[in-house]
Amino acid sequence: MNSVIYLDHAATCRMRPEAIAAMTEAMEHTFGNASPSYSIARDAKRCLDNARAVLAETIGAGWNEIFFTSGGTESDNWALTGTAEALQDKGKHIIVSAIEHHAILHTCEYLESRGFSVTRLPVDSEGRVRPEELADELNARPDTILVSVMAANNEIGTLEDIGTLCRYTHDHGALFHTDAVQAYGKTDALNVSAVPVDLFSASAHKIGGPKGIGFLYVRNGTRLQSLIHGGSQERGRRAGTENVPAAAGFAAAAKAAFANMENETRAERELQAYFRERLLAAFGERSGDSPAPSGILWNGPLPGDDRLANNISVSFPGVSAESLLISLDLAGICASGGSACTTGALDPSHVIMAVSGDRKRAEGTIRFTIGPENTKEEIDRTIEVLGEALQRIRTM
Ligand code: PLP
């Protein structure tokens, strides 16, 4: 067993060897700036465009619909702000789900400060946006220009019904964006010819590529203002000298992720089911209205088709997730809390609050995200450390 047990793959993951090899090759041999027309620059441009073509193919897009960005955050900011600025003559209303990542939610707050209005759709107790509620909101607000709903939630792993939500949105003449940062490379259901989203955000470091690069898919013909101004890179839509080695690493990681998806997902699903069984065996399940002082609450859908294979989100209501995370960390186990630490205070997770409305549950939530290299022994050890920590906390 490794001395560190890494169970935070949704935060980031180890780079795949294929990505390291592709980046090293590009750094050693393709140092040119991709813009000029001499041979070294042409090599860099070729490397960049090969990477673009590989990435485009993974989602059934055309090469000229993929724009490199600095990652998921920039892609999300660009999708929302770029659409808002381009379409404000049509309307100034945007719909998102209440459980989006802060890259979306904080961009919405920015847009509200610029005169746009935003509806945050509630979700059901497993984190699903109900298509009928979207339809009602679209009917009520004909000035809606954009709907943005994530493909998979980063905290509780819920997969959204992007196909239906996209269809309803298009029926009302608005654009549809999906933040696919957690879903990209983990499901092959995200093909833009089958599910015709207009905008799609992805990030390399969630699939074993480098940090600091992502892409925004922009369907041909979509009106979108630029977010970053300067040179004419990325066909005049996203300025800044391109990071060619990172693009090569991203493409290599994506190729490997898609080629190994079936095997990796199968391994993760098995571990996810095992993790759940072990949690229930060790701590029991607390029923919603039970006053019992112990027991866990499972967040999001049960393991299966409606949930990412790598995510386990569990609440220990009444216990501080922070204390549990410290105990896990002391034992060399990396996991993450359902809370974001902002300005020194712990804010309960907006996702757990949206699915349960229960602050104690949100404050006691831990997210484990596994990778195919994790083992049952690592999960057993995690359960053991959690058990010891809970006993210590409860007798304090
Ligand atoms: N969107 C989701 C759903 C995420 O999980 C993340 C990162 O955790 C982001 C956006 C931001 O991506 P990046 O780290 O590439 O900026």
Side-chain angles (χ1 to χ4, degrees):
M1 196 189 294
N2 288 335
S3 55
V4 167
I5 299 178
Y6 189 69
L7 299 175
D8 203 14
H9 289 80
T12 197
C13 41
R14 280 184 191 85
M15 279 187 63
R16 292 178 189 264
E18 296 89 337
I20 295 174
M23 287 188 79
T24 307
E25 164 75 21
M27 285 189 285
E28 280 177 358
H29 302 293
T30 320
F31 76 90
N33 182 318
S35 291
S37 54
Y38 45 76
S39 63
I40 285 174
R42 286 199 305 275
D43 287 347
K45 173 104 172 70
R46 200 171 307 115
C47 183
L48 190 69
D49 286 340
N50 284 344
R52 196 188 308 281
V54 167
L55 293 165
E57 203 184 324
T58 60
I59 59 165
W63 68 270
N64 60 351
E65 296 175 305
I66 299 292
F67 295 85
F68 286 112
T69 65
S70 63
T73 300
E74 182 187 326
S75 297
D76 285 349
N77 271 261
W78 186 12
L80 266 63
T81 307
T83 304
E85 286 182 356
L87 298 184
Q88 54 188 317
D89 53 330
K90 276 186 68 188
K92 296 186 91 172
H93 182 240
I94 293 167
I95 302 174
V96 300
S97 86
I99 60 166
E100 296 299 308
H101 188 270
H102 284 137
I104 294 289
L105 293 178
H106 289 168
T107 305
C108 287
E109 286 168 21
Y110 165 75
L111 289 171
E112 283 172 321
S113 78
R114 313 292 294 180
F116 290 85
S117 66
V118 178
T119 297
R120 294 157 183 85
L121 285 179
V123 291
D124 70 15
S125 61
E126 293 185 344
R128 271 179 293 255
V129 173
R130 298 179 197 87
E132 325 76 71
E133 287 198 31
L134 172 62
D136 289 348
E137 188 61 23
L138 286 163
N139 282 331
R141 293 295 302 259
D143 58 335
T144 304
I145 49 174
L146 176 71
V147 174
S148 177
V149 176
M150 65 205 322
N153 182 265
N154 48 304
E155 291 190 30
I156 59 173
T158 309
L159 293 168
E160 300 292 342
D161 182 0
I162 295 303
T164 306
L165 299 171
C166 179
R167 185 154 42 82
Y168 283 19
T169 301
H170 285 168
D171 287 349
H172 282 78
L175 295 183
F176 190 84
H177 166 250
T178 191
D179 172 346
V181 167
Q182 292 292 341
Y184 177 68
K186 312 257 171 38
T187 160
D188 53 12
L190 293 170
N191 189 294
V192 296
S193 21
V195 180
V197 302
D198 304 287
L199 300 150
F200 177 121
S201 303
S203 175
H205 72 105
K206 308 292 186 182
I207 58 164
K211 292 167 187 51
I213 188 161
F215 69 72
L216 182 67
Y217 158 80
V218 183
R219 181 172 290 280
N220 276 335
T222 304
R223 282 169 63 194
L224 188 75
Q225 287 288 321
S226 292
L227 186 69
I228 297 192
H229 305 279
S232 57
Q233 291 90 355
E234 297 298 281
R235 300 176 305 293
R237 298 183 87 170
R238 197 278 185 182
T241 302
E242 298 93 340
N243 188 342
V244 175
F250 187 5
K255 231 179 186 170
F258 279 81
N260 297 314
M261 188 185 293
E262 210 179 310
N263 287 342
E264 292 183 356
T265 306
R266 194 182 317 113
E268 288 171 3
R269 282 219 181 285
E270 205 184 311
L271 283 179
Q272 184 187 49
Y274 182 73
F275 210 141
R276 180 174 151 81
E277 273 168 35
R278 294 288 286 110
L279 282 165
L280 291 176
F283 309 115
E285 187 161 28
R286 180 186 291 219
S287 77
D289 46 9
S290 147
S294 59
I296 60 150
L297 287 169
W298 179 261
N299 297 309
L302 291 177
D305 292 345
D306 292 346
R307 182 186 188 104
L308 284 176
N310 70 352
N311 172 291
I312 292 105
S313 170
V314 61
S315 301
F316 300 85
V319 177
S320 137
E322 209 189 350
S323 324
L324 290 177
L325 288 170
I326 291 170
S327 300
L328 289 168
D329 183 31
L330 288 171
I333 301 170
C334 311
S336 94
S339 305
C341 187
T342 46
T343 58
L346 272 185
D347 285 338
S349 148
H350 65 285
V351 176
I352 306 296
M353 289 304 287
V355 295
S356 70
D358 181 348
R359 199 180 166 99
K360 279 206 169 332
R361 178 172 181 164
E363 285 167 352
T365 298
I366 298 193
R367 178 190 73 178
F368 299 99
T369 40
I370 49 184
E373 78 281 6
N374 287 127
T375 62
K376 289 185 173 169
E377 289 72 33
E378 290 178 327
I379 290 169
D380 290 343
R381 173 73 186 135
T382 303
I383 301 285
E384 190 186 347
V385 172
L386 276 175
E388 289 162 6
L390 282 168
Q391 202 159 19
R392 225 180 7 256
I393 291 165
R394 288 189 171 130
T395 51
M396 262 162 45

